């Protein structure tokens, strides 16, 4: 009887494989999973979309055609945010390292994936290396950039004071130097507000796992020095941010920009005038927060970077004091253009409220200095609700830093820390409880509001919040919830895309990113996170699918869904690398 049963199973497998090979071995986009792979001891879930044929699935060893696992598909689920119907395939019990694919009875086959202990290492490195490709005034050498090597872009050694930023000591038309920094997104401008949350997120990753990042080599020009690569990459942008402060009064220019966006050309091709534009309270507070955080990190590298920590703290204090003097200097581009010339039409990053910036800056300055003036401001700001981080709401970054400090100094800021802890755990619990009803089994996508401009950054930031909940309570469900969102970004989603360029089997080939469009290379610059599904479709481009969770198109026209941006890559760096660090423990 046993032999007969084995023969039947073998026959069934042959029929399944025959059906598959009759499809000329074409991977079916209707079967979605993390295209990179799964941790040996981690959860493993795939999703079959819109297929009612068959009830069994098989995990096949790639190249051997051996079945290592067979299972039953889950019950049908109707997605709340599209017409998609899903069934899940859970193969968590498969733990043998190797390369596999998943196939269901009707012959539908997945992209190949790996099971390994450090399965996301390459993707995690690529996400951080993506920032090297965004460097502005530095030539990218072939040794580090490969076929994406290019000349330096905008030198920004001659930058004009725009009339909106003019003061007696720096009148309109006078020249300053503001080199370095990362290009913000698909364009060639540099914005302090967006650089703020980006740099803060990267610094937080280092603070949470310094030993891991000290050993991480991403092959950049500084890789052989005594400073971790993540911090070297941060330094390239931090030094630019510091140039955006007016040394005479401590105010911070909102952005360094062309008057209008460049066309789809390589960086540095156009020679349009560059400007620093109006000082804003948001920019001042973001710089104060970032420099305060940087000060306490770089104090550990006094020998390699003498004086940097002290300079950062001075700049943070001056920016804070300027914000106290000008608490309502909100950036309004329409008003600027009404009053001054030339008109500025690049990204606005206007923020109608800076309550969250005050909290973040106060938190970072308090954690670094332990001065009561910052503690009082932090306590006063705790009545404001903290939400998932975005460039327009950065309060939660302050929560993360205070609770990080508390892990080392439990007796400090006890009352505030308890409130922060309760907020994070409440949000995390809601994420986990609602994910059970999600057709894709991820935390991401349990609300229509998740699918906005930069929806993939929402997924990554949700993952970071869950990791911070895991730091507070070592409950596996928080870590697994974070992993589910990494799975979402890398392929387990309604579009079937792995959203990181150069990663997985089906990733964006045409991001809204000027170098990737203009460099003549088929493959886009690697390691960059596309924006993700956005039913708003503000770019006016043609989208083949328009439902909430499928409103994505791989086209450089679609800047509302397929642009890349530094504030999207940064939470991906945190999520992918911190999960890697935790899974090593």
């Amino acid at each position: 009887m046993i032999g007969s049963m084995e023969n039947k199973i073998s026959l069934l497998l042959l029929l399944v494989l025959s059906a598959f090979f009759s499809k000329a071995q074409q991977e079916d986009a209707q079967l979605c999973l993390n295209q990179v792979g799964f941790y040996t001891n981690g959860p493993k879930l795939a999703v079959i979309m819109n297929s009612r044929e068959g009830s069994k699935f098989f995990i096949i060893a790639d190249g051997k055609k051996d079945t290592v696992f067979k299972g039953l598909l889950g019950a049908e689920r109707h997605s709340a945010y599209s017409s998609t119907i899903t069934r899940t395939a859970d193969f968590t019990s498969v733990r043998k390292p190797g390369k596999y694919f998943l196939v269901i009875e009707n012959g539908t086959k997945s992209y190949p994936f790996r099971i390994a202990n450090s399965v996301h290492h390459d993707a995690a490195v690529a996400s951080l290396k993506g920032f090297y490709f965004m460097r502005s005034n530095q030539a990218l050498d072939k040794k580090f950039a490969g076929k994406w090597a290019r000349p330096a872009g905008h030198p920004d050694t001659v930058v004009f004071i725009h009339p909106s930023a003019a003061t007696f000591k720096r009148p309109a038309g006078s020249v300053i130097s503001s080199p370095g920094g990362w290009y913000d997104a698909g364009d060639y401008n540099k914005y302090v507000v967006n650089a703020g949350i980006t740099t803060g997120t990267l610094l937080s990753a280092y603070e949470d796992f310094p030993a891991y990042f000290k050993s991480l080599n991403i092959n950049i020009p500084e890789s052989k020095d005594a400073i971790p690569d993540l911090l070297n990459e941060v330094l390239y942008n931090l030094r630019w941010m510091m140039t955006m402060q007016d040394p005479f009064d401590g105010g911070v220019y909102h952005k360094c920009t062309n008057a209008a966006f460049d066309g789809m050309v390589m960086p540095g091709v156009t020679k349009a005038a560059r400007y620093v534009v109006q000082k804003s309270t948001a920019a001042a507070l973001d710089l104060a927060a970032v420099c305060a955080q940087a000060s306490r990190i770089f104090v550990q590298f006094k020998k390699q970077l003498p004086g940097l920590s002290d300079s950062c703290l001075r700049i943070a204090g001056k920016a804070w004091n300027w914000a106290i003097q000008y608490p309502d200097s909100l950036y309004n581009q329409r008003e600027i253009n009404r009053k001054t010339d030339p008109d500025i039409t690049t990204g606005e990053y206007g923020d109608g409220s800076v309550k969250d910036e005050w909290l973040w800056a106060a938190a970072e300055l308090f954690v670094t200095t332990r001065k009561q003036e910052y503690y009082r401001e932090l306590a006063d700001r705790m009545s404001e609700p903290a939400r998932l981080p975005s460039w327009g709401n950065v309060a939660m970054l302050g929560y993360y830093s205070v609770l990080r400090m508390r892990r080392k100094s439990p007796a400090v800021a006890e009352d505030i820390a308890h409130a922060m802890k309760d907020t994070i755990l409440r949000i995390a619990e809601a994420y986990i409880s609602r994910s059970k009803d999600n057709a894709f089994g991820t935390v991401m996508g349990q609300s229509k509001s998740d699918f906005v401009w930069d929806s993939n950054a929402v997924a990554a930031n949700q993952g970071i919040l869950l990791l911070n909940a895991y730091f507070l309570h070592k409950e596996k469900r928080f870590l697994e919830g974070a992993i589910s969102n990494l799975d979402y970004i890398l392929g387990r989603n309604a579009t079937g895309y792995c959203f990181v360029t150069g990663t997985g089997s089906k990733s964006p080939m045409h991001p809204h990113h000027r170098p990737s469009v203009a460099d003549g290379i088929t493959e886009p610059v690697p390691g960059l996170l596309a924006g993700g599904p956005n039913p708003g479709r503000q770019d006016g481009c043609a989208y083949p699918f328009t439902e909430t969770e499928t409103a994505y198109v791989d086209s450089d026209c679609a800047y509302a869904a397929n642009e890349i941006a530094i504030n999207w890559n940064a939470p991906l760096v945190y999520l992918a690398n911190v999960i890697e660090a935790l899974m090593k423990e």
Side-chain angles (χ1 to χ4, degrees), residues 199-212:
T199 310
T201 300
L202 294 176
L203 288 172
S204 291
Y206 179 82
E207 280 199 284
D208 283 333
F209 284 90
Y212 168 87

Side-chain angles (χ1 to χ4, degrees), residues 250-302:
V252 181
Y253 304 111
H254 196 75
K255 57 181 175 176
C256 176
T257 180
N258 293 7
F261 287 116
D262 279 334
M264 286 294 183
V265 297
M266 291 298 286
V269 169
T270 63
K271 306 299 179 184
R274 303 275 277 181
Y275 299 92
V276 289
V277 189
Q278 186 195 316
K279 297 168 187 172
S280 73
T281 309
L285 291 171
D286 283 343
L287 183 66
V290 166
C291 283
Q293 188 175 17
S295 176
R296 65 176 180 264
I297 292 173
F298 286 115
V299 74
Q300 305 163 40
F301 298 91
K302 281 187 173 181

Side-chain angles (χ1 to χ4, degrees), residues 106-155:
N106 67 2
T108 301
K109 178 194 174 190
S110 75
Y111 296 112
F113 60 86
R114 292 171 54 241
I115 294 176
N117 289 331
S118 298
V119 71
H120 292 116
H121 174 268
D122 290 351
V125 166
S127 67
L128 180 54
K129 180 69 174 282
F131 283 92
Y132 170 71
F133 291 106
M134 300 296 281
R135 294 188 185 189
S136 59
N137 74 325
Q138 184 179 90
L140 305 187
D141 189 273
K142 187 174 183 179
K143 179 180 178 181
F144 308 106
K147 61 184 171 183
W148 296 280
R150 61 167 172 81
H154 297 76

Side-chain angles (χ1 to χ4, degrees), residues 60-73:
I60 313 296
D62 189 36
K64 298 181 180 179
K65 301 177 185 176
D66 294 334
T67 301
V68 299
F69 180 84
K70 58 183 181 296
L72 295 176
L73 298 175

Side-chain angles (χ1 to χ4, degrees), residues 488-499:
Y488 172 92
I489 289 169
L490 298 179
R492 199 170 96 208
N493 59 71
T495 74
Y497 273 89
C498 169
F499 287 115

Side-chain angles (χ1 to χ4, degrees), residues 400-478:
Y400 296 158
S401 285
V402 170
L403 293 174
R404 185 181 303 118
M405 172 196 69
R406 283 270 299 170
R407 293 198 290 271
K408 299 175 183 177
S409 306
V412 181
E414 191 169 356
D415 52 343
I416 289 177
H418 277 303
M420 291 176 167
K421 177 180 176 180
D422 289 346
T423 296
I424 288 174
L425 290 176
R426 173 177 50 79
I427 296 172
E429 291 284 2
Y431 283 163
I432 297 300
S433 65
R434 292 197 296 263
S435 66
K436 298 172 184 176
D437 299 322
N438 189 327
F440 287 84
T442 58
V443 169
M444 173 63 184
Q446 57 189 239
S447 168
K448 189 174 183 178
S449 63
D450 286 354
F451 298 99
V452 293
W453 196 320
D454 80 346
S455 61
N456 283 333
V458 171
N461 276 304
Q462 287 175 344
I464 292 175
L465 188 141
L466 286 163
L467 291 174
N468 276 269
Y470 179 74
F471 299 155
L472 296 169
H473 283 288
K474 297 289 184 178
E475 295 186 21
K476 191 176 180 181
R477 59 202 177 99
F478 293 137

Side-chain angles (χ1 to χ4, degrees), residues 28-338:
D28 193 332
Q30 299 301 303
L31 207 165
C32 302
L33 80 177
N34 182 329
Q35 295 170 26
V36 173
F38 305 90
Y39 290 104
T40 306
N41 296 317
K44 303 171 185 71
L45 195 71
V47 171
I48 292 84
M49 296 195 299
N50 303 322
S51 176
R52 291 187 167 94
E53 299 177 19
S55 60
K56 298 176 182 178
F57 72 92
F58 306 87
I59 303 298
I60 313 296
D62 189 36
K64 298 181 180 179
K65 301 177 185 176
D66 294 334
T67 301
V68 299
F69 180 84
K70 58 183 181 296
L72 295 176
L73 298 175
E76 286 187 0
R77 286 186 175 185
H78 292 253
S79 178
Y81 304 111
S82 73
S83 54
T84 303
I85 298 172
T86 70
R87 301 178 75 182
T88 57
D90 190 331
F91 52 103
T92 299
S93 60
V94 180
R95 295 187 175 185
K96 184 178 179 180
K99 191 175 182 180
Y100 303 91
F101 61 87
L102 185 153
V103 62
I104 59 177
E105 280 182 293
N106 67 2
T108 301
K109 178 194 174 190
S110 75
Y111 296 112
F113 60 86
R114 292 171 54 241
I115 294 176
N117 289 331
S118 298
V119 71
H120 292 116
H121 174 268
D122 290 351
V125 166
S127 67
L128 180 54
K129 180 69 174 282
F131 283 92
Y132 170 71
F133 291 106
M134 300 296 281
R135 294 188 185 189
S136 59
N137 74 325
Q138 184 179 90
L140 305 187
D141 189 273
K142 187 174 183 179
K143 179 180 178 181
F144 308 106
K147 61 184 171 183
W148 296 280
R150 61 167 172 81
H154 297 76
D156 285 337
T157 51
V158 176
V159 178
F160 298 99
I161 302 291
H162 188 266
S164 63
T167 61
F168 176 76
K169 292 185 177 180
R170 283 187 164 182
S174 56
V175 174
I176 66 169
S177 181
S178 188
W182 304 307
Y183 290 129
D184 177 72
D187 62 294
Y188 294 140
N189 304 304
K190 303 181 293 190
Y191 308 83
V192 169
V193 167
N194 208 39
I197 185 173
T198 301
T199 310
T201 300
L202 294 176
L203 288 172
S204 291
Y206 179 82
E207 280 199 284
D208 283 333
F209 284 90
Y212 168 87
F213 283 106
K214 285 176 181 176
S215 66
L216 193 69
N217 185 316
I218 65 170
N219 187 34
I220 56 177
E222 303 86 359
S223 287
K224 292 184 179 180
D225 69 14
I227 300 168
D229 280 3
L230 181 144
L231 293 184
N232 271 318
E233 199 55 64
V234 164
L235 270 173
Y236 185 80
N237 192 66
L238 179 66
R239 286 182 168 129
W240 163 71
M241 291 183 73
M242 293 163 76
T243 71
M244 292 293 282
Q245 183 174 63
D246 183 340
F248 297 109
D249 63 12
V252 181
Y253 304 111
H254 196 75
K255 57 181 175 176
C256 176
T257 180
N258 293 7
F261 287 116
D262 279 334
M264 286 294 183
V265 297
M266 291 298 286
V269 169
T270 63
K271 306 299 179 184
R274 303 275 277 181
Y275 299 92
V276 289
V277 189
Q278 186 195 316
K279 297 168 187 172
S280 73
T281 309
L285 291 171
D286 283 343
L287 183 66
V290 166
C291 283
Q293 188 175 17
S295 176
R296 65 176 180 264
I297 292 173
F298 286 115
V299 74
Q300 305 163 40
F301 298 91
K302 281 187 173 181
K303 182 179 179 180
Q304 297 87 349
L305 300 165
L308 178 63
S309 175
D310 294 337
S311 295
C312 285
L313 195 55
R314 279 196 303 272
I315 284 172
K318 291 181 69 174
W320 173 270
N321 291 334
W322 185 92
I324 290 174
Q325 190 175 357
Y326 301 98
D328 300 313
S329 181
L330 305 181
Y331 188 81
N332 185 323
Q333 202 151 272
R334 181 179 298 178
E335 282 299 302
I336 288 173
N337 291 341
R338 187 175 65 83

Side-chain angles (χ1 to χ4, degrees), residues 177 279 344 553 575:
S177 181
K279 297 168 187 172
I344 303 295
V553 60
L575 182 65

